[in-house]
Amino acid sequence: MLPTHEYANDLILFALIVECGSFSKAAESAGITSSVISKRIGRLEKSLGARLLYRTTRSLTLTENGQELYRHARTISSQMQEALYAVSERSEALTGTIRMSVPTISGELLLSESVAEFCTQHPDLKVEMRLENRFVDLVNEGIDLAIRTGTMPDSSLIARHILDSRWVIVCSPSYLEHHPQPTTTAELLNHNCLTYTYQESGSANWLVKQPTGDQIAELQVNGNLSANNARAIRKAVIGGYGIAMVPRCMVYEDLQQGKLLEILAGHCGKVLGVYAVYPYTRNLPLKTRLLIEHIICSYKNISHYF
């Protein structure tokens, strides 16, 4: 048998599927994948020992047991929604604590100031923000909200897309005074490429493309320095010690000021999504929802950096 709280979550999800009429629409509404929904409903059916619905490529039909369960699940879902909104929406002041995890680059670039501004607007609210590049386990570590950059794995977490972060290949003017500027990605193999170890494809595998095509390929570059901190790589590149592939947002001001130059424009194939991620719930607390909206606005205000 499932724990009571897992039954409640699965019943709410089951009601959502029936209301949406399909697994895919329910997945879109809940912000999770269809495969996660299938697993959750399969778990519920196994625990109850009863088939709840028949699913084909074109239709979804409730069994007799499914119809009976839906009547109760619909009531549970409605009552829970009303109760949560009664607590959150009728409270003018936001109180309590939000624990969040954010990547170091975004944390330093805009989130520290953005979140501090949000806390000033809501003085009874406290935000505990951790700057880290690892993908934390939100549920087990008690994290209410995470800002993540990268591809989102198949999970029961809800991931709300904010914007895309484009990466660029850069070097300093002083580096080009002593080395020929590469005109093709293949010529990068003849240069000292400084690498960031937190890249999903591997620190020495750069995602590159031709400007006239969309096909992405991995290029295994060579270099004498790698680091798990992108800003450390940035300083080394500004110093003229090599070429690097880094997030455009991190070096936007350096490019504007001429400290760095973008080379092989259009050849960098690395684009990562930036997401607000939180555990699945039908009714996200008002304080977390408002913080997410505030953060999204902050990103949009400097979208030209990305």
Side-chain angles (χ1 to χ4, degrees):
M1 296 291 288
L2 292 173
T4 303
H5 71 279
E6 291 190 8
Y7 264 127
N9 290 335
D10 288 353
L11 285 174
I12 292 171
L13 190 59
F14 174 70
L16 179 64
I17 293 170
V18 177
E19 292 162 4
C20 291
S22 73
F23 276 40
S24 60
K25 291 181 180 179
E28 182 179 356
S29 176
I32 57 179
T33 64
S34 296
S35 62
V36 169
I37 285 188
S38 295
K39 292 175 185 176
R40 295 273 293 274
I41 296 305
R43 181 180 70 174
L44 181 61
E45 290 180 326
K46 182 178 180 180
S47 181
L48 294 174
R51 186 70 179 267
L52 300 177
L53 49 83
Y54 297 110
R55 180 188 178 195
T56 67
T57 55
R58 295 185 177 181
S59 65
L60 186 149
T61 306
L62 290 174
T63 65
E64 184 175 351
N65 286 325
Q67 293 174 356
E68 180 66 23
L69 184 65
Y70 173 62
R71 283 195 287 270
H72 296 285
R74 180 176 56 185
T75 301
I76 293 172
S77 177
S78 176
Q79 290 177 343
M80 181 176 290
Q81 185 173 4
E82 291 174 3
L84 291 173
Y85 274 126
V87 173
S88 63
E89 301 291 358
R90 294 178 185 176
S91 177
E92 293 183 359
L94 302 187
T95 62
T97 301
I98 299 176
R99 296 174 178 85
M100 63 183 299
S101 171
V102 307
T104 56
I105 294 175
S106 290
E108 295 172 359
L109 178 66
L110 69 95
L111 289 176
S112 296
E113 184 175 1
S114 175
V115 173
E117 179 186 29
F118 184 78
C119 291
T120 300
Q121 296 171 357
H122 306 282
D124 294 327
L125 181 69
K126 179 181 179 181
V127 176
E128 296 177 358
M129 185 168 64
R130 293 162 33 178
L131 274 67
E132 52 200 347
N133 290 318
R134 67 184 182 93
F135 277 16
V136 300
D137 186 328
L138 271 66
V139 176
N140 290 332
E141 297 185 41
I143 302 298
D144 303 300
L145 172 66
I147 304 299
R148 289 182 174 174
T149 301
T151 55
M152 292 298 102
D154 183 15
S155 73
S156 58
L157 300 176
I158 296 178
R160 181 173 175 185
H161 181 261
I162 299 175
L163 48 68
D164 288 326
S165 174
R166 185 169 68 86
W167 288 46
V168 290
I169 302 171
V170 297
C171 68
S172 69
S174 63
Y175 180 84
L176 293 182
E177 291 176 2
H178 301 92
H179 303 86
Q181 180 170 335
T183 57
T184 67
T185 55
E187 292 179 8
L188 288 171
L189 301 178
N190 301 321
H191 289 265
N192 189 36
C193 295
L194 313 181
T195 55
Y196 177 50
T197 56
Y198 270 118
Q199 293 189 118
E200 291 180 344
S201 57
S203 61
N205 293 330
W206 286 6
L207 300 178
V208 297
K209 66 178 180 179
Q210 296 298 323
T212 56
D214 295 328
Q215 189 172 2
I216 305 296
E218 287 189 4
L219 180 71
Q220 189 166 5
V221 298
N222 303 293
N224 58 14
L225 175 65
S226 64
N228 65 353
N229 183 285
R231 289 200 174 274
I233 295 296
R234 167 188 168 270
K235 291 197 70 173
V237 177
I238 290 176
Y241 297 107
I243 296 174
M245 180 185 289
V246 292
R248 184 174 184 267
C249 62
M250 187 183 73
V251 296
Y252 175 82
E253 294 181 355
D254 298 322
L255 293 171
Q256 298 300 307
Q257 296 168 6
K259 293 180 181 179
L260 290 176
L261 303 173
E262 181 179 2
I263 59 175
L264 294 171
H267 287 74
C268 184
K270 191 176 181 75
V271 179
L272 299 177
V274 180
Y275 300 86
V277 183
Y278 49 92
Y280 171 73
T281 172
R282 284 295 298 277
N283 298 101
L284 191 66
L286 177 63
K287 59 188 177 185
T288 308
R289 285 193 284 119
L290 291 180
L291 176 56
I292 290 173
E293 295 301 329
H294 183 83
I295 287 174
I296 289 175
C297 287
S298 297
Y299 271 102
K300 299 296 184 183
N301 287 338
I302 63 166
S303 60
H304 54 285
Y305 274 58
F306 294 84

